[in-house]
Amino acid sequence: MSGTLRHGVVLLTDEPWRESAPRWRAVEELGFDHAWTYDHLVWGGLPDSPWRSAMPTLAAAAGVTERIGVGTFVSSPNQNHPYTYARDVITLDDLTGGRFLCGVGTGGDLDARLLGQDLTLRRRVDRFHEFVPLLDRLLREDHVWHDGEWYRTDGARTLPGPVRHRVPLLIAANGPRSLALAATVGDGWVTYGGRGETLDAWFEHVAALVERFDGLVAEQGRTGVSRYLSLDSSPRFSLESAGLYAEMTGRAAELGFTDVVCHWPRAEGPYAGDPAVLEQVAGSLGR
């Protein structure tokens, strides 16, 4: 596998910490570069399962890891205010010793509905485009005033910040407006790819997104923007076999992705698989 590509693993929060903690440690011990969890109230993939909050989970993960990045894949404005979320980011930056990766996205409709937010996708995108610049300011400045359509802060204190020089802001985007936001503000772009009934069709869609994003980054005159691909949004679970993982990560590298993310194999779907395959993949990373 490409030695320049970074590899990460998402761990879900449906199981208690006593069962999850060894897995977070294992991701680091196996040689992966980063570990993540979702930031949801209820995740649509397991709507009837127990679910635990992302930020306390990541705080606990900070205590059982030493090297890898840990982050949100991703947080959204559905249940987060930019100021309170900035406080979480500042705290996790401290707890991880500068290893926190701040992934943010528009958010889906399930969490929004649970909170009584009757918002179309367009309106959620509108909100996200106010959320991100305000969060960016709160991670760079102290005494932040903002009076917008969705949020207000009145001289918000952010000490001991700023932390944006070491906390990368990773923006999940597939649509044109959010792709432009990621190209303008983000330290990295996260994509779930899109639809496709076959692996080839899915990668064709991913390639089109990459071409669009590269053009937007070039328009901004920017360089060094990381690109994260969620492999398991494809029609195939990337850890079906070590061979499939190698194929998918090779194709991702050819498209210019700097990072790929898979999921810890589960006994049952979603992401049903054998943890032994994860170990095989880790052995091929050359770490």
Side-chain angles (χ1 to χ4, degrees):
M1 295 184 191
S2 172
T4 59
L5 196 65
R6 294 183 292 262
H7 302 255
V9 181
V10 174
L11 298 100
L12 304 182
T13 64
D14 56 312
E15 296 182 341
W17 179 247
R18 66 179 177 274
E19 297 180 23
S20 296
R23 297 176 182 178
W24 286 87
R25 285 192 292 267
V27 171
E28 178 165 275
E29 291 166 356
L30 288 169
F32 288 89
D33 299 287
H34 30 70
W36 312 80
T37 198
Y38 294 153
D39 185 9
H40 286 291
L41 298 173
V42 173
W43 180 50
L46 292 170
D48 298 317
S49 294
W51 198 255
R52 293 157 183 87
S53 296
M55 295 310 190
T57 298
L58 291 170
V64 298
T65 58
E66 297 179 353
R67 173 188 58 82
I68 57 173
V70 296
T72 50
F73 205 74
V74 294
S75 297
S76 84
N78 279 332
Q79 70 271 24
N80 294 297
H81 185 286
Y83 187 24
T84 56
Y85 186 70
R87 276 291 179 215
D88 288 339
V89 173
I90 291 167
T91 302
L92 283 167
D93 172 66
D94 178 40
L95 293 175
T96 62
R99 294 183 287 125
F100 181 63
L101 304 169
C102 182
V104 293
T106 300
D109 59 358
L110 177 55
D111 284 342
R113 290 200 313 269
L114 292 172
L115 291 168
Q117 302 168 3
D118 185 16
L119 299 175
T120 64
L121 175 59
R122 181 184 182 87
R123 292 297 284 157
R124 292 201 307 275
V125 172
D126 289 342
R127 180 179 61 179
F128 185 57
H129 279 244
E130 185 175 334
F131 179 95
V132 169
L134 179 54
L135 175 64
D136 184 50
R137 285 186 60 203
L138 289 162
L139 296 177
R140 294 181 187 276
E141 305 173 16
D142 190 20
H143 294 289
V144 176
W145 277 265
H146 177 83
D147 189 4
E149 178 182 4
W150 299 95
Y151 304 109
R152 177 176 177 179
T153 59
D154 189 4
R157 303 304 311 275
T158 61
L159 296 174
V163 299
R164 274 286 281 121
H165 66 283
R166 62 180 176 272
V167 175
L169 187 58
L170 312 175
I171 299 178
N174 276 14
R177 292 175 60 197
S178 294
L179 279 171
L181 182 67
T184 303
V185 180
D187 298 296
W189 165 50
V190 177
T191 181
Y192 299 93
R195 297 179 180 177
E197 294 185 1
T198 67
L199 197 60
D200 286 342
W202 185 75
F203 266 110
E204 287 175 7
H205 187 80
V206 172
L209 288 172
V210 169
E211 183 177 6
R212 190 180 309 164
F213 184 72
D214 286 346
L216 291 166
V217 170
E219 288 176 8
Q220 295 295 322
R222 302 185 67 202
T223 59
V225 181
S226 300
R227 292 156 170 80
Y228 292 73
L229 179 61
S230 178
L231 297 174
D232 298 330
S233 299
S234 80
R236 305 275 300 277
F237 178 40
S238 62
L239 294 175
E240 287 178 18
S241 68
L244 178 62
Y245 187 86
E247 176 190 347
M248 294 183 70
T249 55
R251 294 175 74 165
E254 289 175 358
L255 289 173
F257 284 95
T258 58
D259 297 77
V260 291
V261 180
C262 65
H263 290 73
W264 186 280
R266 296 166 41 82
E268 300 176 347
Y271 314 126
D274 187 347
V277 175
L278 185 70
E279 295 177 8
Q280 293 174 25
V281 164
S284 67
L285 297 181
R287 307 293 169 78

